[in-house]
Amino acid sequence: MHYRQVFFIRAHLFPEFISDTIDTIRYYSTTDSLIVVTVDRNKDIERVLKPLYPSVKFFTSSSNCGWGGGLWLLFCEALCWLTRTENVSFDYLWNVDYDWIAIAPAFDSYFTKKFSEDKNIGQIGRHSPNSAYWTRRVKQRLRSIKGQFAAHGKPFPRNYKPGEHVAGACSVFKGSCASQMLSMGLLDRPFRDFGLMYKIADDPMLSMMTNAAGYRFCEMGEKAYIKWRLDEDYKKLQSRGFLCFHPTKLTPGNTSYSAEKEMVCRNYFRELRGQSPIV
């Protein structure tokens, strides 16, 4: 079955918060998208949420993915399952963390317009052109990575810049880019194990494989507030024109995490949508 858009929501815990992220997509999206919750081993997520969202698909990995490089493994497993087992195709694939939410109408059509600017764009997100940490980490492992590509008959992308990437918390893939990664075997072993093998997070891995598939990645635009830590009052984001944001799990001032604080943040936006609060 073909969909205009598919959303992967990457999750480990907190079904009540995953539910809220699903609600934001449904409320603000311009199309009836397929939503897939991709979960690391926790079968309780599907057990709790499936009765509430019968049209949502759930992929629960049997691998111990965890965070960081394991999220690249989870992406590979989920996309192979979706396309090869569930026979789903799509124009665009959103890959978002559970603590990402949409906060304004037509967020999806606004960002996917970016792909029309250049047919070679395969992935958009919050662009990081020269992360010192990931540049150093990838360079230390680059010779071995290139050797793996060569050993399996895959050309390593000449235009790849070590460490350059877009943030894994929210990125969008063009369907043809995802299809090319699949057909080239870049989501199969040994490539799907690179994140854990080389201790490289999903962010650089996703962008590296976008390049390997013959596409480029770029900034998704100023209307996306995508950061590792929230550094301002989330109540001001809508008025400043942002259409989506990450993360809901950290509050202004970068105070320590608590589920209660995340619930307060999410309930603020639920009230704006006229939806009942999480309790």
Side-chain angles (χ1 to χ4, degrees), residues 41-264:
R41 297 174 69 87
N42 186 355
K43 295 181 179 180
D44 288 339
I45 299 295
E46 181 175 4
R47 180 184 58 80
V48 172
L49 293 181
K50 187 64 174 178
L52 303 176
Y53 300 96
S55 64
V56 170
K57 290 183 180 293
F58 292 83
F59 173 80
T60 303
S61 173
S62 59
S63 304
N64 187 14
C65 298
W67 297 102
L71 289 177
W72 161 245
L73 173 60
L74 182 62
F75 175 84
C76 294
E77 290 182 344
L79 187 50
C80 288
W81 165 82
L82 184 70
T83 55
R84 297 170 181 171
T85 303
E86 299 295 303
N87 297 312
V88 169
S89 60
F90 47 82
D91 294 331
Y92 303 108
L93 171 64
W94 290 71
N95 189 45
V96 301
D97 284 350
Y98 92 92
D99 56 336
W100 167 96
I101 60 172
I103 59 173
F107 72 95
D108 47 352
S109 61
Y110 175 84
F111 292 118
T112 53
K113 285 190 299 185
K114 186 74 176 178
F115 291 104
S116 65
E117 296 178 6
D118 183 345
K119 65 180 182 181
N120 293 317
I121 296 175
Q123 181 197 24
I124 60 173
R126 175 61 66 210
H127 185 219
S128 180
N130 51 10
S131 164
Y133 177 82
W134 287 118
T135 297
R136 181 175 66 256
R137 177 66 67 91
V138 173
K139 280 185 174 180
Q140 289 171 346
R141 294 151 174 79
L142 196 55
R143 182 175 179 180
S144 179
I145 292 172
K146 287 182 175 180
Q148 290 276 6
F149 270 80
H152 292 84
K154 312 294 183 186
F156 188 81
R158 293 183 179 181
N159 60 337
Y160 175 70
K161 179 182 175 184
E164 184 180 12
H165 64 275
V166 299
C170 171
S171 65
V172 191
F173 294 87
K174 186 160 63 174
S176 58
C177 176
S179 294
Q180 184 67 359
M181 285 194 284
L182 282 159
S183 64
M184 291 179 64
L186 298 175
L187 306 185
D188 297 310
R189 288 196 161 87
F191 303 100
R192 66 167 57 178
D193 297 323
F194 279 11
L196 294 174
M197 181 189 305
Y198 294 113
K199 294 182 171 53
I200 298 175
D202 58 302
D203 320 55
M205 288 306 312
L206 287 162
S207 297
M208 180 191 296
M209 295 307 177
T210 295
N211 275 173
Y215 289 84
R216 70 182 187 90
F217 51 88
C218 66
E219 174 63 43
M220 71 188 302
E222 61 183 14
K223 292 183 180 292
Y225 184 97
I226 308 297
K227 296 190 178 182
W228 186 52
R229 292 185 181 276
L230 187 67
D231 58 11
E232 60 183 278
D233 187 351
Y234 55 76
K235 295 180 181 179
K236 298 178 180 178
L237 296 179
Q238 255 187 342
S239 63
R240 291 183 53 198
F242 290 106
L243 306 182
C244 63
F245 94 95
H246 171 278
T248 58
K249 68 180 178 183
L250 291 173
T251 55
N254 295 331
T255 52
S256 57
Y257 174 76
S258 77
E260 182 180 358
K261 291 175 182 177
E262 180 166 7
M263 183 170 66
V264 170

Side-chain angles (χ1 to χ4, degrees), residues 9 17-29 35 53 100-104 107 266 269-270 273 275:
I9 302 176
F17 296 154
I18 300 167
S19 171
D20 180 60
T21 297
I22 293 172
D23 290 345
T24 73
I25 294 169
R26 289 183 163 181
Y27 190 86
Y28 288 124
S29 176
I35 298 173
Y53 300 96
W100 167 96
I101 60 172
I103 59 173
F107 72 95
R266 287 179 178 273
F269 290 100
R270 291 188 71 82
R273 300 194 303 271
Q275 296 176 332

Side-chain angles (χ1 to χ4, degrees), residues 26-37:
R26 289 183 163 181
Y27 190 86
Y28 288 124
S29 176
T30 57
T31 186
D32 186 16
S33 306
L34 172 64
I35 298 173
V36 182
V37 180

